[in-house]
Structure formats: C-alpha cells, structure tokens
PDB file of all heavy atoms in Angstrom:
ATOM      1  N   ASN O  20    -131.217 280.821  14.917  1.00 87.00           N
ATOM      2  CA  ASN O  20    -131.040 280.524  13.493  1.00 87.00           C
ATOM      3  C   ASN O  20    -129.556 280.472  13.116  1.00 87.00           C
ATOM      4  O   ASN O  20    -128.785 281.310  13.620  1.00 87.00           O
ATOM      5  CB  ASN O  20    -131.748 281.595  12.624  1.00 87.00           C
ATOM      6  CG  ASN O  20    -133.180 281.458  12.635  1.00 87.00           C
ATOM      7  OD1 ASN O  20    -133.740 280.320  12.895  1.00 87.00           O
ATOM      8  ND2 ASN O  20    -133.935 282.505  12.518  1.00 87.00           N
ATOM      9  N   GLY O  21    -129.167 279.493  12.285  1.00 87.00           N
ATOM     10  CA  GLY O  21    -127.800 279.328  11.926  1.00 87.00           C
ATOM     11  C   GLY O  21    -126.867 278.693  13.003  1.00 87.00           C
ATOM     12  O   GLY O  21    -125.716 278.700  12.864  1.00 87.00           O
ATOM     13  N   ALA O  22    -127.526 278.044  14.021  1.00 92.00           N
ATOM     14  CA  ALA O  22    -126.680 277.467  15.035  1.00 92.00           C
ATOM     15  C   ALA O  22    -126.151 276.116  14.612  1.00 92.00           C
ATOM     16  O   ALA O  22    -125.174 275.608  15.345  1.00 92.00           O
ATOM     17  CB  ALA O  22    -127.604 277.252  16.274  1.00 92.00           C
ATOM     18  N   GLY O  23    -126.581 275.569  13.481  1.00 94.00           N
ATOM     19  CA  GLY O  23    -126.062 274.291  13.067  1.00 94.00           C
ATOM     20  C   GLY O  23    -126.994 273.057  13.277  1.00 94.00           C
ATOM     21  O   GLY O  23    -126.622 271.922  13.113  1.00 94.00           O
ATOM     22  N   LYS O  24    -128.281 273.339  13.766  1.00 95.00           N
ATOM     23  CA  LYS O  24    -129.168 272.219  14.076  1.00 95.00           C
ATOM     24  C   LYS O  24    -129.475 271.277  12.884  1.00 95.00           C
ATOM     25  O   LYS O  24    -129.353 270.072  12.982  1.00 95.00           O
ATOM     26  CB  LYS O  24    -130.456 272.836  14.691  1.00 95.00           C
ATOM     27  CG  LYS O  24    -130.240 273.734  15.853  1.00 95.00           C
ATOM     28  CD  LYS O  24    -131.493 274.337  16.396  1.00 95.00           C
ATOM     29  CE  LYS O  24    -132.318 275.118  15.421  1.00 95.00           C
ATOM     30  NZ  LYS O  24    -131.578 276.433  15.002  1.00 95.00           N
ATOM     31  N   THR O  25    -129.836 271.896  11.809  1.00 95.00           N
ATOM     32  CA  THR O  25    -130.200 271.064  10.695  1.00 95.00           C
ATOM     33  C   THR O  25    -128.933 270.367  10.088  1.00 95.00           C
ATOM     34  O   THR O  25    -129.089 269.229   9.621  1.00 95.00           O
ATOM     35  CB  THR O  25    -130.872 271.978   9.510  1.00 95.00           C
ATOM     36  OG1 THR O  25    -132.136 272.339  10.083  1.00 95.00           O
ATOM     37  CG2 THR O  25    -131.197 271.031   8.250  1.00 95.00           C
ATOM     38  N   THR O  26    -127.800 271.010  10.165  1.00 96.00           N
ATOM     39  CA  THR O  26    -126.563 270.361   9.823  1.00 96.00           C
ATOM     40  C   THR O  26    -126.310 269.076  10.578  1.00 96.00           C
ATOM     41  O   THR O  26    -125.873 268.037   9.919  1.00 96.00           O
ATOM     42  CB  THR O  26    -125.452 271.226   9.969  1.00 96.00           C
ATOM     43  OG1 THR O  26    -125.627 272.507   9.163  1.00 96.00           O
ATOM     44  CG2 THR O  26    -124.028 270.719   9.539  1.00 96.00           C
ATOM     45  N   VAL O  27    -126.607 269.080  11.870  1.00 97.00           N
ATOM     46  CA  VAL O  27    -126.548 267.939  12.661  1.00 97.00           C
ATOM     47  C   VAL O  27    -127.389 266.840  12.127  1.00 97.00           C
ATOM     48  O   VAL O  27    -127.045 265.644  12.035  1.00 97.00           O
ATOM     49  CB  VAL O  27    -126.838 268.210  14.165  1.00 97.00           C
ATOM     50  CG1 VAL O  27    -126.946 266.921  15.029  1.00 97.00           C
ATOM     51  CG2 VAL O  27    -125.831 269.150  14.717  1.00 97.00           C
ATOM     52  N   PHE O  28    -128.686 267.077  11.833  1.00 97.00           N
ATOM     53  CA  PHE O  28    -129.596 266.119  11.218  1.00 97.00           C
ATOM     54  C   PHE O  28    -129.014 265.551   9.971  1.00 97.00           C
ATOM     55  O   PHE O  28    -129.045 264.352   9.692  1.00 97.00           O
ATOM     56  CB  PHE O  28    -130.928 266.797  10.987  1.00 97.00           C
ATOM     57  CG  PHE O  28    -131.915 266.567  12.166  1.00 97.00           C
ATOM     58  CD1 PHE O  28    -131.378 266.459  13.459  1.00 97.00           C
ATOM     59  CD2 PHE O  28    -133.209 266.550  11.964  1.00 97.00           C
ATOM     60  CE1 PHE O  28    -132.275 266.422  14.543  1.00 97.00           C
ATOM     61  CE2 PHE O  28    -134.084 266.400  13.010  1.00 97.00           C
ATOM     62  CZ  PHE O  28    -133.622 266.334  14.320  1.00 97.00           C
ATOM     63  N   ASN O  29    -128.513 266.437   9.074  1.00 97.00           N
ATOM     64  CA  ASN O  29    -127.923 265.992   7.828  1.00 97.00           C
ATOM     65  C   ASN O  29    -126.653 265.114   8.047  1.00 97.00           C
ATOM     66  O   ASN O  29    -126.393 264.172   7.208  1.00 97.00           O
ATOM     67  CB  ASN O  29    -127.475 267.211   6.948  1.00 97.00           C
ATOM     68  CG  ASN O  29    -128.722 267.963   6.505  1.00 97.00           C
ATOM     69  OD1 ASN O  29    -129.821 267.400   6.344  1.00 97.00           O
ATOM     70  ND2 ASN O  29    -128.534 269.261   6.028  1.00 97.00           N
ATOM     71  N   LEU O  30    -125.930 265.386   9.104  1.00 98.00           N
ATOM     72  CA  LEU O  30    -124.777 264.449   9.333  1.00 98.00           C
ATOM     73  C   LEU O  30    -125.290 263.143   9.834  1.00 98.00           C
ATOM     74  O   LEU O  30    -124.719 262.069   9.455  1.00 98.00           O
ATOM     75  CB  LEU O  30    -123.954 265.103  10.503  1.00 98.00           C
ATOM     76  CG  LEU O  30    -123.073 266.320  10.064  1.00 98.00           C
ATOM     77  CD1 LEU O  30    -122.617 267.126  11.232  1.00 98.00           C
ATOM     78  CD2 LEU O  30    -121.900 265.876   9.154  1.00 98.00           C
ATOM     79  N   ILE O  31    -126.243 263.082  10.706  1.00 98.00           N
ATOM     80  CA  ILE O  31    -126.725 261.825  11.264  1.00 98.00           C
ATOM     81  C   ILE O  31    -127.316 260.922  10.148  1.00 98.00           C
ATOM     82  O   ILE O  31    -127.190 259.714  10.176  1.00 98.00           O
ATOM     83  CB  ILE O  31    -127.822 262.051  12.374  1.00 98.00           C
ATOM     84  CG1 ILE O  31    -127.178 262.730  13.620  1.00 98.00           C
ATOM     85  CG2 ILE O  31    -128.481 260.767  12.829  1.00 98.00           C
ATOM     86  CD1 ILE O  31    -128.139 263.210  14.591  1.00 98.00           C
ATOM     87  N   THR O  32    -128.030 261.680   9.203  1.00 97.00           N
ATOM     88  CA  THR O  32    -128.773 260.922   8.228  1.00 97.00           C
ATOM     89  C   THR O  32    -127.879 260.624   6.930  1.00 97.00           C
ATOM     90  O   THR O  32    -128.513 260.055   5.899  1.00 97.00           O
ATOM     91  CB  THR O  32    -130.101 261.603   7.852  1.00 97.00           C
ATOM     92  OG1 THR O  32    -129.789 262.883   7.437  1.00 97.00           O
ATOM     93  CG2 THR O  32    -131.041 261.536   9.033  1.00 97.00           C
ATOM     94  N   GLY O  33    -126.761 260.996   6.917  1.00 97.00           N
ATOM     95  CA  GLY O  33    -125.876 260.680   5.702  1.00 97.00           C
ATOM     96  C   GLY O  33    -125.823 261.639   4.607  1.00 97.00           C
ATOM     97  O   GLY O  33    -125.193 261.422   3.541  1.00 97.00           O
ATOM     98  N   ILE O  34    -126.556 262.726   4.759  1.00 96.00           N
ATOM     99  CA  ILE O  34    -126.600 263.754   3.703  1.00 96.00           C
ATOM    100  C   ILE O  34    -125.116 264.433   3.700  1.00 96.00           C
ATOM    101  O   ILE O  34    -124.613 264.742   2.577  1.00 96.00           O
ATOM    102  CB  ILE O  34    -127.661 264.737   3.839  1.00 96.00           C
ATOM    103  CG1 ILE O  34    -129.119 264.090   3.730  1.00 96.00           C
ATOM    104  CG2 ILE O  34    -127.588 265.932   2.879  1.00 96.00           C
ATOM    105  CD1 ILE O  34    -130.170 265.037   4.062  1.00 96.00           C
ATOM    106  N   TYR O  35    -124.587 264.679   4.836  1.00 96.00           N
ATOM    107  CA  TYR O  35    -123.173 265.182   4.974  1.00 96.00           C
ATOM    108  C   TYR O  35    -122.445 264.088   5.709  1.00 96.00           C
ATOM    109  O   TYR O  35    -122.901 263.423   6.517  1.00 96.00           O
ATOM    110  CB  TYR O  35    -123.221 266.428   5.846  1.00 96.00           C
ATOM    111  CG  TYR O  35    -123.869 267.641   5.224  1.00 96.00           C
ATOM    112  CD1 TYR O  35    -124.420 268.565   6.175  1.00 96.00           C
ATOM    113  CD2 TYR O  35    -124.069 267.795   3.887  1.00 96.00           C
ATOM    114  CE1 TYR O  35    -125.055 269.766   5.746  1.00 96.00           C
ATOM    115  CE2 TYR O  35    -124.721 268.952   3.470  1.00 96.00           C
ATOM    116  CZ  TYR O  35    -125.243 269.889   4.363  1.00 96.00           C
ATOM    117  OH  TYR O  35    -125.834 270.973   3.881  1.00 96.00           O
ATOM    118  N   ARG O  36    -121.157 264.101   5.281  1.00 96.00           N
ATOM    119  CA  ARG O  36    -120.157 263.180   5.977  1.00 96.00           C
ATOM    120  C   ARG O  36    -119.335 264.060   7.032  1.00 96.00           C
ATOM    121  O   ARG O  36    -118.937 265.138   6.669  1.00 96.00           O
ATOM    122  CB  ARG O  36    -119.161 262.631   5.027  1.00 96.00           C
ATOM    123  CG  ARG O  36    -118.254 261.622   5.682  1.00 96.00           C
ATOM    124  CD  ARG O  36    -117.439 260.954   4.635  1.00 96.00           C
ATOM    125  NE  ARG O  36    -116.565 259.875   5.208  1.00 96.00           N
ATOM    126  CZ  ARG O  36    -116.195 258.801   4.600  1.00 96.00           C
ATOM    127  NH1 ARG O  36    -116.512 258.548   3.311  1.00 96.00           N
ATOM    128  NH2 ARG O  36    -115.505 257.876   5.236  1.00 96.00           N
ATOM    129  N   PRO O  37    -119.231 263.631   8.209  1.00 97.00           N
ATOM    130  CA  PRO O  37    -118.508 264.417   9.297  1.00 97.00           C
ATOM    131  C   PRO O  37    -117.066 264.677   8.782  1.00 97.00           C
ATOM    132  O   PRO O  37    -116.331 263.786   8.232  1.00 97.00           O
ATOM    133  CB  PRO O  37    -118.459 263.492  10.484  1.00 97.00           C
ATOM    134  CG  PRO O  37    -119.566 262.552  10.318  1.00 97.00           C
ATOM    135  CD  PRO O  37    -119.756 262.353   8.823  1.00 97.00           C
ATOM    136  N   THR O  38    -116.709 265.867   8.981  1.00 97.00           N
ATOM    137  CA  THR O  38    -115.192 266.277   8.702  1.00 97.00           C
ATOM    138  C   THR O  38    -114.366 265.704   9.824  1.00 97.00           C
ATOM    139  O   THR O  38    -113.227 265.220   9.556  1.00 97.00           O
ATOM    140  CB  THR O  38    -115.087 267.752   8.678  1.00 97.00           C
ATOM    141  OG1 THR O  38    -115.928 268.310   7.806  1.00 97.00           O
ATOM    142  CG2 THR O  38    -113.578 268.101   8.271  1.00 97.00           C
ATOM    143  N   THR O  39    -114.799 265.657  11.028  1.00 97.00           N
ATOM    144  CA  THR O  39    -114.108 265.119  12.153  1.00 97.00           C
ATOM    145  C   THR O  39    -115.159 264.341  13.060  1.00 97.00           C
ATOM    146  O   THR O  39    -116.328 264.589  12.998  1.00 97.00           O
ATOM    147  CB  THR O  39    -113.384 266.238  13.036  1.00 97.00           C
ATOM    148  OG1 THR O  39    -114.457 267.174  13.521  1.00 97.00           O
ATOM    149  CG2 THR O  39    -112.485 267.087  12.214  1.00 97.00           C
ATOM    150  N   GLY O  40    -114.548 263.488  13.872  1.00 97.00           N
ATOM    151  CA  GLY O  40    -115.334 262.767  14.832  1.00 97.00           C
ATOM    152  C   GLY O  40    -116.105 261.579  14.286  1.00 97.00           C
ATOM    153  O   GLY O  40    -115.830 261.247  13.139  1.00 97.00           O
ATOM    154  N   ASP O  41    -116.921 260.943  15.055  1.00 98.00           N
ATOM    155  CA  ASP O  41    -117.633 259.756  14.671  1.00 98.00           C
ATOM    156  C   ASP O  41    -119.073 259.772  15.208  1.00 98.00           C
ATOM    157  O   ASP O  41    -119.380 260.362  16.146  1.00 98.00           O
ATOM    158  CB  ASP O  41    -116.946 258.521  15.225  1.00 98.00           C
ATOM    159  CG  ASP O  41    -117.423 257.210  14.791  1.00 98.00           C
ATOM    160  OD1 ASP O  41    -117.874 257.185  13.480  1.00 98.00           O
ATOM    161  OD2 ASP O  41    -117.547 256.140  15.427  1.00 98.00           O
ATOM    162  N   ILE O  42    -120.021 259.131  14.391  1.00 98.00           N
ATOM    163  CA  ILE O  42    -121.327 259.038  14.671  1.00 98.00           C
ATOM    164  C   ILE O  42    -121.649 257.384  14.785  1.00 98.00           C
ATOM    165  O   ILE O  42    -121.375 256.757  13.862  1.00 98.00           O
ATOM    166  CB  ILE O  42    -122.238 259.631  13.689  1.00 98.00           C
ATOM    167  CG1 ILE O  42    -121.952 261.107  13.485  1.00 98.00           C
ATOM    168  CG2 ILE O  42    -123.794 259.487  14.037  1.00 98.00           C
ATOM    169  CD1 ILE O  42    -122.759 261.828  12.364  1.00 98.00           C
ATOM    170  N   ARG O  43    -122.200 257.094  15.923  1.00 98.00           N
ATOM    171  CA  ARG O  43    -122.519 255.745  16.124  1.00 98.00           C
ATOM    172  C   ARG O  43    -124.016 255.544  16.457  1.00 98.00           C
ATOM    173  O   ARG O  43    -124.599 256.281  17.235  1.00 98.00           O
ATOM    174  CB  ARG O  43    -121.655 255.076  17.395  1.00 98.00           C
ATOM    175  CG  ARG O  43    -120.202 255.232  17.216  1.00 98.00           C
ATOM    176  CD  ARG O  43    -119.352 254.616  18.333  1.00 98.00           C
ATOM    177  NE  ARG O  43    -119.613 253.085  18.393  1.00 98.00           N
ATOM    178  CZ  ARG O  43    -118.962 252.257  17.627  1.00 98.00           C
ATOM    179  NH1 ARG O  43    -118.096 252.634  16.694  1.00 98.00           N
ATOM    180  NH2 ARG O  43    -119.267 250.965  17.722  1.00 98.00           N
ATOM    181  N   PHE O  44    -124.625 254.474  15.780  1.00 98.00           N
ATOM    182  CA  PHE O  44    -126.004 254.150  16.047  1.00 98.00           C
ATOM    183  C   PHE O  44    -126.127 252.694  16.296  1.00 98.00           C
ATOM    184  O   PHE O  44    -125.572 251.929  15.499  1.00 98.00           O
ATOM    185  CB  PHE O  44    -126.809 254.601  14.850  1.00 98.00           C
ATOM    186  CG  PHE O  44    -128.305 254.232  14.950  1.00 98.00           C
ATOM    187  CD1 PHE O  44    -129.137 254.873  15.801  1.00 98.00           C
ATOM    188  CD2 PHE O  44    -128.822 253.163  14.142  1.00 98.00           C
ATOM    189  CE1 PHE O  44    -130.391 254.516  15.922  1.00 98.00           C
ATOM    190  CE2 PHE O  44    -130.174 252.798  14.207  1.00 98.00           C
ATOM    191  CZ  PHE O  44    -130.990 253.508  15.142  1.00 98.00           C
ATOM    192  N   ASP O  45    -126.827 252.388  17.315  1.00 95.00           N
ATOM    193  CA  ASP O  45    -126.977 250.944  17.670  1.00 95.00           C
ATOM    194  C   ASP O  45    -125.573 250.224  17.823  1.00 95.00           C
ATOM    195  O   ASP O  45    -125.414 249.133  17.304  1.00 95.00           O
ATOM    196  CB  ASP O  45    -127.868 250.244  16.611  1.00 95.00           C
ATOM    197  CG  ASP O  45    -128.472 248.951  17.108  1.00 95.00           C
ATOM    198  OD1 ASP O  45    -128.076 248.515  18.216  1.00 95.00           O
ATOM    199  OD2 ASP O  45    -129.048 248.270  16.264  1.00 95.00           O
ATOM    200  N   ALA O  46    -124.638 250.973  18.412  1.00 93.00           N
ATOM    201  CA  ALA O  46    -123.348 250.556  18.762  1.00 93.00           C
ATOM    202  C   ALA O  46    -122.463 250.369  17.598  1.00 93.00           C
ATOM    203  O   ALA O  46    -121.393 249.728  17.592  1.00 93.00           O
ATOM    204  CB  ALA O  46    -123.396 249.322  19.592  1.00 93.00           C
ATOM    205  N   ARG O  47    -122.801 250.892  16.362  1.00 96.00           N
ATOM    206  CA  ARG O  47    -122.006 250.740  15.151  1.00 96.00           C
ATOM    207  C   ARG O  47    -121.823 252.070  14.479  1.00 96.00           C
ATOM    208  O   ARG O  47    -122.770 252.881  14.484  1.00 96.00           O
ATOM    209  CB  ARG O  47    -122.603 249.782  14.118  1.00 96.00           C
ATOM    210  CG  ARG O  47    -122.660 248.343  14.673  1.00 96.00           C
ATOM    211  CD  ARG O  47    -123.152 247.349  13.466  1.00 96.00           C
ATOM    212  NE  ARG O  47    -124.533 247.632  13.193  1.00 96.00           N
ATOM    213  CZ  ARG O  47    -125.116 247.082  12.158  1.00 96.00           C
ATOM    214  NH1 ARG O  47    -124.507 246.280  11.323  1.00 96.00           N
ATOM    215  NH2 ARG O  47    -126.398 247.313  11.881  1.00 96.00           N
ATOM    216  N   SER O  48    -120.648 252.276  13.897  1.00 97.00           N
ATOM    217  CA  SER O  48    -120.455 253.613  13.285  1.00 97.00           C
ATOM    218  C   SER O  48    -121.257 253.728  11.934  1.00 97.00           C
ATOM    219  O   SER O  48    -121.424 252.741  11.214  1.00 97.00           O
ATOM    220  CB  SER O  48    -119.016 253.738  12.868  1.00 97.00           C
ATOM    221  OG  SER O  48    -118.733 254.975  12.127  1.00 97.00           O
TER     222      SER O  48
END
C-alpha cells in the first residue's frame, strides 16, 4: 500500500500529468 500503483494509472490515463519523463502509447506521446 502506498507504493504508487494507482498514481501510475492516473498518469497513464491523463488524470495526472507527469512531473518528469514521458509516456508514449502507440508510438506517440
């Protein structure tokens, strides 16, 4: 618990914006 798992989902689905780094899906950011 508290490891950041749901935060990762929220980053991927656009609920949160990454502070650093990039997320690419289907070869596009």
